[in-house]
Amino acid sequence: MTSATPVKRKSHDKVAKILSTTGKNLMNNADLIVATLKAAGIHRGFGIPSGNVLPLMEAMRRGGVDFVLTAHEGSAGFAADVSGRLTGAPGLCIATLGPGATNLATGVGCAFLDRSPMIAITCNLNTDQLGRRIQMWIDHHALFRPITKATLRLERGRIAETLSQAVALALSEPMGPVHLDLPEDVALAPANEAVPAPAPRAAIAPAPDTAIARAGELIAAAKRPIAVIGSSAMRLADPSLLLKVIERHSLPFATTTMAKGLIDEDHPLALGAIERACRQHQRRLLRSADLIVGLGYDTIEVEYEAWIDDVPLLQVDIEPVDIAPSVKLVHQATGDLAASLARLAALTATRNSWTAAALAEHRQAFQSALRPPSPSFTAHAAIDAVRRALPRAGILSFDVGAHTHQIASQWSAHAPKSFLITNGWSSMGFGLPGAIAAKLARPDLPVVCLIGDGCFQMTCGEVAVAKRLGLTLPIVVLDDKWLALIKVKQIRRQFPLYGTALQEEDYREPPAHYFGVPAVGVRDADALEAAVRQALAASGPTVIEAVVDSEHYVETVYD
Ligand SMILES: Cc1ncc(C[n+]2csc(CCOP(=O)(O)OP(=O)(O)O)c2C)c(N)n1
Ligand SMILES: [Mg+2]
C-alpha cells in the first residue's frame, strides 16, 4: 500500500530521529483519538497494520495504549469483543482498508450480535482519495453499516465529538460495536481540539412499577415456574441481583449458553444450559413448567419457539421480546434489567411446588445422558478432564462446533465472565483470540482455551501471538478429525459424508512446537488433566492435542 508518510522503509532509529527533528512530537489527531480512548478506560487494541495504520499505531505507542499484533484481523475483532466483555470499557480493534476491513468485519459482527462494547477503527487513504478507484479502497461505511450500531467518519475539527459519541453509543444498552473510519491525512493533522470529557451513556428507563407488580403476581401464582437467564444479564454490573431474585422466589433456573456462570451452577436450583447437547432432557423439564420467566433472555441465542411449546412466558428484559405468533406471551416487563431485578427481589417471597429432590434427579439424569459410556477416550471425558484441571474461578474460552454443544451442557461454570463463547454470532475462530484477550484482561486468573480441530486450523496463527505476549495459556485442541457438528448434521439429514473430514489418516504425534510454542499429544483423560495442570504452571502457552473419539456427538449433540 502506498503511504503519504515520508518515513516509509526507514529503520526505527532513523524514524525516531526524523520525528524528533520534524516537529511531529506535537499532538496530532491520532494522539487525540488515543488520549480519548485511554480516558474511556481502553488500554490496548488488537489489529494488523499497513502504512495507513502507522500514524495511529505511533500515537498508541506514545500514548500508552498497547498495540497487540494478531495473526488475522478477524481474531483482532474477537479479542476486542472479549476485552469489552471483561473490562467494561469498549474493546478496541484496528485494521487497514479493504481486505483488512473485511477480515475485521467477522469480529465486529461478533460484537454486534453478542452485544459487546467495541470501537473498530479502519485506517484509510487520504481524504481526497476516498471514493476513487484506488488499490484496496471499498466503502467501509457500507461494509460496517449492517454489523455496527453506527459507522462514523473521523473528520478534522470533529474528532473529539465523534469519539465521545462513539464510546457512549458502544456502551449504551444494548451494547455493541461502533466503527470509525480514519483517513491518514486526518490522523496526521495537528489536533486543534481538546480531549473530550466522556459523554454520558443513554440510560434505559426502568420498567413501570405496574409491570413489575404484574410479573410478581404471575410468579406468585405459578406452581412450577422456571427462570431462564439469558445473555442480556451478562452485562449486569451486579450479577448477584439474579441470585437474589432466584432465591427470593425459589425459582429453579436454567441458562442460555452465554449466561452460564452468572449464578454458580453448583446452586441447588440450577438446571444447567438449554438448547445444547441432550436438549430434549431440558425441553421435557421446561415444558412441564407452568410459567417460563425469561430474565435478560435475548432471543439472539435461541428463539423461544424452538423450545417453549405452549408454556406461558413472562419476559423481563431490556427490549420487547421477539417471538413467533405461537409463543404464549402472558406479560413482559421491559426496561433497565438491574432495576427490574432489584424490584423483583424486593417483592414478598414466594414458594412453588418444585422439590429439591426432583431438581437433583433431573440434573443427575441430564448429566449422565451427556456421558455415554465408551471404551475410548471420548470428547466428553476430555471436557471433564479440562474442568478438573481448571480452578473454579478460572476462565474457559472455547469455540464453535459440536464441542460447543457438549461443553455448554456438560461444563459447570462457577463465576460470571468465566465462560467465554459467541452464540449470537456463532463464528468459528472465537476461542483462541478470546482466550488471549481474557488472559491479558485478567492476568490474575487461570485461563484455558478449548477448541475443535477445525477451529484450530482456522486460527492457529494466533498461537504465535500468545507466545509473543508470553501468556500462560493451555490451548487444548479436541482432535476428532472432523468438522463434527456438520458431520452430525449430514448424518441426521441422511446426506453422505462429504467435505467435512479434516483428516483421513490417524493423527500422529504433534510437532515439537508451533511457532516455538511446545505441543504435546494426549490420548487419555488422565494425561490431558496432567498436561493442562502443567501448562497452567508454565511461563508461556502450550498446545495440547487431545486425540478424541467424538462418535457420541450423534447421540448427545442432537438427541
Ligand atoms: C466462520 C464459520 N464458518 C462456518 C461455520 C459453520 N460451522 C459450525 S461448527 C463447524 C465445525 C467446527 O469444527 P471443529 O472446530 O472441528 O469442531 P467440532 O464440530 O468437530 O467439535 C462449522 C464448519 C461457523 N459457525 N463459522
Ligand atoms: Mg472437530
Side-chain angles (χ1 to χ4, degrees), residues 401-403 451-455 478-485 500 502 507 548 550 553:
H403 62 285
I451 60 182
D453 40 1
C455 293
L478 293 172
D479 277 339
D480 64 359
K481 302 202 284 183
W482 291 94
L483 298 174
L485 185 65
T500 46
L502 291 166
Y507 278 122
V548 295
S550 70
Y553 286 154

Side-chain angles (χ1 to χ4, degrees), residues 195-477:
V195 177
R201 310 175 190 187
I204 291 191
D209 285 339
T210 49
I212 298 296
R214 177 76 187 125
E217 285 165 18
L218 288 164
I219 293 171
K223 301 257 179 309
R224 291 170 64 83
I226 295 179
V228 183
I229 300 170
S231 57
S232 300
M234 283 167 53
R235 302 186 301 276
L236 285 167
D238 177 10
S240 77
L241 286 169
L242 291 163
L243 181 64
K244 290 183 181 129
V245 173
I246 293 299
E247 292 192 334
R248 185 72 160 183
H249 301 290
S250 308
L251 290 171
F253 69 95
T255 73
T256 61
T257 303
M258 291 177 75
K260 275 172 77 87
L262 290 172
I263 300 176
D264 187 338
E265 291 193 293
D266 279 352
H267 195 284
L269 290 167
L271 299 170
I274 66 164
E275 290 301 293
R276 287 287 146 130
C278 293
R279 72 193 65 203
Q280 299 302 345
H281 277 252
Q282 300 292 64
R283 283 184 183 177
R284 277 193 291 278
L285 190 80
L286 294 166
R287 289 172 181 172
S288 77
D290 61 359
L291 183 70
I292 295 294
V293 185
L295 294 179
Y297 187 101
D298 184 344
T299 55
I300 193 68
E301 281 194 85
V302 57
E303 59 278 16
Y304 275 115
E305 55 271 23
W307 55 269
I308 199 166
D309 207 5
D310 59 358
V311 182
L313 170 65
L314 162 62
Q315 170 81 341
V316 181
D317 194 22
I318 57 172
E319 296 170 302
V321 69
D322 180 335
I323 41 170
S326 61
V327 175
K328 273 174 54 184
L329 179 69
V330 286
H331 179 58
Q332 56 182 326
T334 305
D336 178 72
L337 189 58
S340 293
L341 295 174
R343 283 176 293 165
L344 288 174
L347 294 174
T348 311
T350 54
R351 304 193 68 77
N352 51 57
S353 61
W354 290 109
T355 63
L359 300 178
E361 195 181 319
H362 171 80
R363 260 194 314 271
Q364 204 278 326
F366 177 50
Q367 289 301 318
S368 95
L370 287 161
R371 297 167 174 84
S374 163
S376 46
F377 178 31
T378 57
H380 66 72
I383 295 164
D384 279 341
V386 175
R387 177 64 283 192
R388 286 196 297 275
L390 180 65
R392 283 172 68 89
I395 296 176
L396 181 75
S397 177
F398 59 115
D399 222 307
V400 172
H403 62 285
T404 321
H405 292 241
Q406 194 71 38
I407 293 167
S409 290
Q410 185 188 326
W411 190 267
S412 54
H414 302 296
K417 301 185 198 289
S418 68
F419 192 74
L420 302 176
I421 185 61
T422 168
N423 196 23
W425 186 241
S426 267
S427 176
M428 293 169 71
F430 171 92
L432 181 46
I436 290 170
K439 190 65 192 172
L440 286 171
R442 293 302 306 267
D444 54 318
L445 290 179
V447 178
V448 166
C449 170
L450 177 57
I451 60 182
D453 40 1
C455 293
F456 184 63
Q457 289 183 11
M458 205 179 256
T459 52
C460 58
E462 307 306 335
V463 167
V465 178
K467 163 83 177 166
R468 195 186 320 119
L469 296 167
L471 302 180
T472 295
L473 183 65
I475 301 162
V476 180
V477 184

